[in-house]
Amino acid sequence: ADLRIALQSDADVLDPDQSRTFVGRIVYTALCDKLVDITPDLEIIPQLATEWSFSEDGKQLTLKLRDDVVFHDGTPFDAAAVAANIDRSQNLQESRRKSELSSVTGVEVLGSHVVRLDLTSPDATLMAQLADRAGMMVSPTAATQAGADFGLNPICSGPYKFKERVAQDRIVLEKFEDYYNADDFHFDTVSYLPIPDTTVRLANLQSGDIDMLERLAATDLAQAESDAGIQVASAVSLGYQGITINVANGDKADNPWGKDKRLRQALSLSLDREAINQVVFNGAFAAGNQPFPPTSPWYSKDFPVPARDVEQAKALLAEAGFPDGIDLEVQVPNTTIPLQLMQVVQSMASEAGIRISLVSKEFATLLSDQTAGDYTASQIGWSGRVDPDGNIHQFMTTDAGLNDSKYSNAKVDALLNTARTSNDQQVRKESYNAARAILNDEAPIVYLYHQTWIWALDSAISGFTPYPDGMIRLKGMKKEDG
Amino acid sequence: MSLVNTEAQPDLLVVQDFSLRFRGAPSDQINRVSFSVGSGKTLCIVGESGCGKSVTSLAMMGLLPAGAAQINSGKMLFEGQAMNLADPKAMRKIRGSRMTMIFQEPMSSLNPVFRIGDQIVEAVKAHSDATDAQARDRAVAMLQRVGIPAPAKRMRDYPHQLSGGMRQRVMIAMALVNDPALLIADEPTTALDVTIQAQILELIRDLQAETGMGTIMITHDLGVVAEIADTVAVMYAGTVVETGPAERIFNDPQHPYTIGLMSSIPQLTGARGRLSTVPGMVPTARNMPAGCRFSTRCPFARPVCTTEPPLVEIGDGHQAACHFAPLEIKLKESA
Amino acid sequence: MLSFILRRVVIAIPTIILISIFVFTLQKLLPGDPVLAMAGEERDPQVLEFLREKYRLNDPIPVQYFTWIGNALRGDLGISLRTNQPVLELIAQKLPVTIQLAAMAMIFALLIGIPAGIFSAVKKGTIVDYIANVVALSGLSIPNFWLGIMLILLVSVKWKLLPASGYVPLSEDPVRSITVMIMPAFVLGTALAATLMRHTRSAMLGVLNSDYVRTARAKGLVERRVILKHAFRNALTPIVTLTALLFGELIAGAVLTEQIFTIPGFGKLVVDAVFNRDYAVVQGIVLVTAVGFIFMNLLADVAYVLLNPRLRKQ
Amino acid sequence: MDAESAADPVLSARPENRVWKKFRKHRSAMLGGVLVTFFVLIALVAPILPIPDPVATDWGAVRKAPSAAHWLGTDELGRDVLSRLVWGAQASLLAGVVSVAIALGFGVPLGIIAGYFGGWTDAIISRCTEALLAAPFLILAIALAAFLGPSLTNAMIAIGISATPVFIRLTRGQVLSVAAEDYVESARAIGLSTPRILRRYILPNVLPPVLVQATLTVATAIIAEASLSFLGLGQQPPSPSWGSMLNTAKNFLNQAPWMALWPGVAIFLVVLGFNLLGDGLRDALDPREH
Amino acid sequence: MSDNILRARGLKKHFTTGGVVMGTAGVIRAVDDVSFDVRRGETFAIVGESGCGKSTLARLLMRLLSPTEGDVIFDGIDVRNLKGRDLTALRRDMQFIFQDPFSSLNPRMSVGKLIGEPLETHFPDMSGAERRAKVSELLDKVGLRPEHAERYPHEFSGGQRQRIGIARALASAPKLMIGDEPVSALDVSVQAQVINLLGDLRDELGLTLVIIAHDLAVIRHMSDRVAVMYLGQIVEQGTVDTVFQHPRHPYTRALLSAIPVAAYGQRLSQTALHGEMPSPANPPSGCRFHTRCPYAQDRCTSQAPTLRPTGNGEDHVAACHFFADIAAAEPDPGRVGTPPRAAGASARFALYQDAMQERANVRSGQDQKQQAEPKPFHQQESST
Ligand SMILES: Nc1ncnc2c1ncn2[C@@H]1O[C@H](COP(=O)(O)OP(=O)(O)OP(=O)(O)O)[C@@H](O)[C@H]1O
Ligand SMILES: Nc1ncnc2c1ncn2[C@@H]1O[C@H](COP(=O)(O)OP(=O)(O)OP(=O)(O)O)[C@@H](O)[C@H]1O
Ligand SMILES: [Mg+2]
Ligand SMILES: [Mg+2]
């Protein structure tokens, strides 16, 4: 049987070392196995590695590997393959996994199926990285042969192998019969079909043209639920959405919004995040004020989602010297949801005297303006990572890659670095809480909400488990004939 | 000169009291027009531009744009039978077979995208069960007949490959291929120069003599009329003001308009004095004078001219619609 | 005829070069860095810089252009920055789709537009004419995405008559391929049908008054033959010219329709490529569409000559 | 010769009057005129109409069906659809009219120059026209939006520029036939200067079909603004335009069909209005029509 | 008098065609080596079959077309290289009347504008009021009323429109007027009006006229000298009387014999000329007329005849190798006059003339020229 899954957009290049998109990762869950995987509760569990352990100093990670695994091209999976993969991720010039594996200094093949990674320093995020693209194993034979063109014909060791791809139309995978756990996978082929329009995506499911879709629009939830032929599953995502404010990125930061945290606090206070969730997302998403959703263990309970306080916001404005209100220009991606969201924000903020004007830009422009510091405030989000570090470190530490706000605070840097290198959960948690105390006050990013992944499936499909990472794991999924 | 004895035959086409009005016009464009033509004979209709010559002929063919005009009175007898202009089916049967027409503009009257052969063959097949080959043979024969050299080869030509004279000959071939009893030629030579014109007129004359076909020739060139007419009808503003045998019309015109027309022709011999003119222009339907339609331009107009003058017989079938015909006598009387 | 075509082709070359320069420059002027746009959430400055070098994005624009055109002349249109697929392969994948969609839309438009145009010209001023015009104008004014989604909701979801989207190559399953394309082709065709209808109407109105149509009637031909053979054949020239122009537009212009019916054609490809600043892809498509555009116009000129004996060689 | 004047058919009405008269008699053109005038009026008087603020949100009344309080319902942010429709008329009509004005402003002069002078001038203009036709509209739109900001004005400029080639072609073709007219040669024979001939002889005579095409393009431009909004380059939120309203409504076709219905109907009516107007104008200007 | 106002020398105009679409560029020799002189104050006529190059020749004279070869000298100025101001000046002195009164007036301009325009161009110092007065005067001159300035061309009949065209041409006070078939599109009665008008104007203003026509009666009526064209070349030239009485070129003979006479009993006995005019894209070798010439001999197919004097008056020239032989064999075609009308009819025609005269006199208060006796159109001064 064929499983047809509608994706919101087309995947980019199908090379785990080069790829960048969320939908690409969805395809990889079927195509490429990783060293480790996660549970819905974000615990790390075995996949290609059966066991692993850190050395005392946390600078060595030893992994035991499955010995019954072959790549789709027949190349056996072993310790050498792991070494080759790590090497590729670090040294292929096009690789985008370099920073994820930056702590790894060397790979030691200890046995045919035992391997050791040597680290510069303890790295708390490493296991989570290995549970994602950095941990995906590609066939070293194929990789050497194809080089940077590997993505045209990806060869991994997952339960499905690459069959064909027509850009913007479909990516088709077929069952890999030599998969070690082939019996748990019940579809002969899986097709991923990019259908960008949410209404059309749902219509396709309703008309039976597809079996499943990801990212159902929150506003379509009620309708999908009322349709007997459709079941819905959801999970709060790992990411967040917010407004990034330019505090030190070039000349444009040189304005009250960049200089005075009280204005940013006022903006945050002027918003009713729950109402935003209700109006824009029918209440299906989660209001938020931190990089992690309130449901996350990493969420700092000391700073709950603030209630709206227009008076307080006004007071802050007055204190900052703007008793008559102040203007703010926010750039927004030119798509429906961000525009709608920002119009609500606009409307709410105006009651506190913050007059927001929206400039919608098409994403490429928005992104380059944001990196270049050519903005005052920007509505943007982050898709989220399994490890908390992924949601905060690169945004808030000095000179970090994604720190477009150019926020810089030595204390925050120290705290986040500590959290990164400690394997002690308690230490990490406290560091994050301490950093939160500062960031909440300074508010370079005003967090707004956390998306909920919503999947809609044909009701004949069983065995689907929603994960907060938004992936579709095909293991155990079945479709009853009917 | 006619090979067919037409003496005993009734008139081929008789038009009586024919009136027609365009939609929305305040007066009849064609007002009580009567004329007739016999087999083998040629009737010339002359008159100034815009006086209604083409409208009349198109009406006879049932080719006026649908809904554009309404026929207010009159009857038409063709080969002894009354024609019903309101019956498109019956008209279509006659049209192109018994009664055919050639138009003024040889350049635009042939369909530019079809071979002339096919256009003639189509005319044959529209009115008979002839096979393709038969129709083709007839077309070739007809082209030969109208004086087109190498007709079988010419059949494959497109209209633009022919000169104006040749095109007009093709039109004539198309009109004659079904042996019509009556040919209506609406200014067939106006667009051609004199040498070609002479050829065409000779052709029509010959064909007529040969087949006994009746012809209505519409023109405002009196030279052409003198050349070809048996009888002449002079039209002015939708009325027939004078009609009769050609000889009488030329040598003894009665109506002031006919006289004016004749006087305004430059001559090839004699003194070259100032030309006499008919001043003014044909009235349009909107400002049609009551009574005699020529009265606004007539040098003899009197109060009585506000009543419609009847077409009175002067003799030999010569009729004129003027209160003062014959002028030289009547005017003296009234003076 | 052959030399005519040859000359037209020769004239087309500078046009195509001009177009490619124009589009190339315009693209380069767009804000947004292709490498950054593609990087999305993962912006490793080192990798970005490497990619810029690799795709020669740091070269001066004229150098980039000459590199590109040099490769293009050797049949290498470069690769997509986003998916690494060769542009030529992408085009080969999309072209049949686009042509099928455009052709089907055109067939719809012709089947509806021309008869409607003839009919309303013949019945000018009657209620039939009036209704035909209003319907045509509605076709012209309804936005494609609106009509498209409405059709999906009704025909696919409610009545389950036709598949909502997807594309199957004609070679794979002709029946399904055509079924799937019916709705998008219809949506795309409506506005075209309206345009064609109105042009057919006015061309026919002009021709119906002509002398040769009168001649055809004078021959005693039945009205249907007069209109369909004599009048329509002559009205055809402007319609053919227009059809070619529209077909050229269709090849690149079906963006929204493709988006809604998820048809993997040129329109969607070029839109995504533009948004991702996938220059090679945009440039490749523009090149192909320009060629197609010029080819259609060439066809129109040939048809024009064939339809119009006056232009044929003696 | 004065005798002639006696029988002169005195046609008192001046041609302009006659065009207007024919136009007024043209039933569908009048209907078109009424439609367009209606929407123009609405756009003009929007500020004084007793309707809610088009950007006032109401979290309690999100996506409410038409009711006594909101005649045409509310949108996804609880704003009154009727009010947004009325306020959006201005943006949409402007998009239609201004972009066509731009297209006319560039297309007609260039077309005239190409058609009248021919040769190299023509070759250059024609090749550039082709280049413009082959360039994806989107690139143009984004470039303009990026350089000038994604505002309504720039959407109008983008639409205008992209519609220009059609006008160049149309005008050029028309000029080719008008320039061959005897009266143009007569103007040369009289000794008029070329600019004067272009202005007084060519322009007025190429204009009628161009004007008719323009009214058709007004319609296309309104829809193009909708499409540009669909791509996020039209009227900026929260200000309404019919296009952006439709664009948003597209996501709620299931839950709130009225959100899409009304702007759709409005666009249809305006487009219809302009087309009928165009038809009437063409008929009124065409001497063969009566 | 022998003051030549206009001289054409070796004029040629070759059009290339077909190049655009079909690639078969052909050369149409529309005018091929034409020379003649026009004397100040005379009426010079050019006749010929349709398509023989008459209009092209006229446009060359006006410099509406540039000649492929040859010169036009107007009043001593070589017209060929005139530009800008000088060209404007030329166009002030030389004016054109178009064949088609329906298409040669801009339908969107009022008559007043149309006539005022040449005034604006050529007399820029004229005030608005002066100009309006001048327009009224011109309208009056061509027999229209000043109120007509408000109206638009389509409100006029063909004859009236032709008068507007004439008024327009007169506006710049030209010395020479070229009429390209100014009366061919008109029917007889209107044609007579326009012919009279042109004659009057010539007398009154001392204009020189060059008239192109294919109606020989019209030409005979209006002009002093005539040139007969065939396929781009002049084949015969001379005074009207000589050419009409003693035609020497076989083509002229054929033309004259093909004119139908508007008098009963004057039927032509036979077709004057057979065949079609050859295409100017592919003219016959030798004498261009040989393909249709009843007298053609071998020599005609190879050797092109040149214009040479016939001996009938100093100006009469013809381009035929054998005109002397032909003239000897065939007598000059005498023109039979109109047969006498019946007495009543003659009286009627006389009455008509008188009545017309009277009618004109009634209005003479406002229009002097109408009361003049039917002046002989043919001017004495022009005959040599
Ligand atoms: N379809 C029509 N609707 C209204 N009036 C018309 C129509 N057709 C012709 N007329 C008018 O009828 C009158 C007679 O026209 P007709 O064509 O018969 O003139 P004609 O005598 O043939 O002139 P010509 O010598 O120029 O051919 C004209 O005034 C013309 O304007
Ligand atoms: N612009 C042009 N391009 C090509 N050929 C032309 C052009 N103008 C005229 N001709 C050709 O030159 C020849 C002479 O044309 P011209 O108009 O001078 O003839 P004419 O004697 O005035 O004819 P008519 O009596 O029909 O007006 C014709 O064969 C014509 O087709
Ligand atoms: Mg007529
Ligand atoms: Mg001519």
Side-chain angles (χ1 to χ4, degrees), chain E residues 55 99 180-181:
Chain E
S55 300
Q99 170 168 5
D180 184 7
E181 313 207 15

Side-chain angles (χ1 to χ4, degrees), chain C residues 2-12, chain E residues 18-24:
Chain C
L2 201 69
S3 79
F4 161 59
I5 292 175
L6 272 178
R7 246 213 336 267
R8 282 296 308 260
V9 170
V10 172
I11 295 176
Chain E
V20 185
V21 176
M22 294 312 300
T24 52

Side-chain angles (χ1 to χ4, degrees), chain E residues 15-17 28-31 48-57 59 65 99 180-181 212 214 280:
Chain E
F15 294 108
T16 40
T17 57
I28 291 183
R29 299 157 177 276
V31 171
E49 216 164 5
S50 187
C52 69
K54 303 183 297 291
S55 300
T56 309
L57 178 58
R59 281 169 174 72
L65 287 174
Q99 170 168 5
D180 184 7
E181 313 207 15
I212 290 168
H214 59 227

Side-chain angles (χ1 to χ4, degrees), chain A residues 334 360, chain C residues 145 256 275, chain D residues 95 137-138 140-142 145 150-160 162 221-236 241 243-244 247:
Chain A
N334 63 7
S360 76
Chain C
F145 63 82
L256 294 180
F275 282 144
Chain D
F137 174 52
L138 196 64
L140 217 64
I142 294 179
S151 68
L152 179 63
T153 319
N154 302 320
M156 294 189 288
I157 294 176
I159 299 168
S162 77
I222 294 180
I223 293 175
E225 198 269 338
S227 310
L228 272 187
S229 284
F230 191 67
L231 299 169
L233 296 168
Q235 175 83 306
Q236 288 305 287
S241 85
S244 57
N247 182 16

Side-chain angles (χ1 to χ4, degrees), chain B residues 260 263-264 275-279, chain E residues 189-190 192-194 196 352-353 356:
Chain B
S263 330
S264 43
L275 290 173
S276 164
T277 60
V278 184
Chain E
S189 62
V190 181
Q193 294 173 359
V194 174
N196 285 346
Y352 182 81
Q353 296 298 345
M356 289 306 304

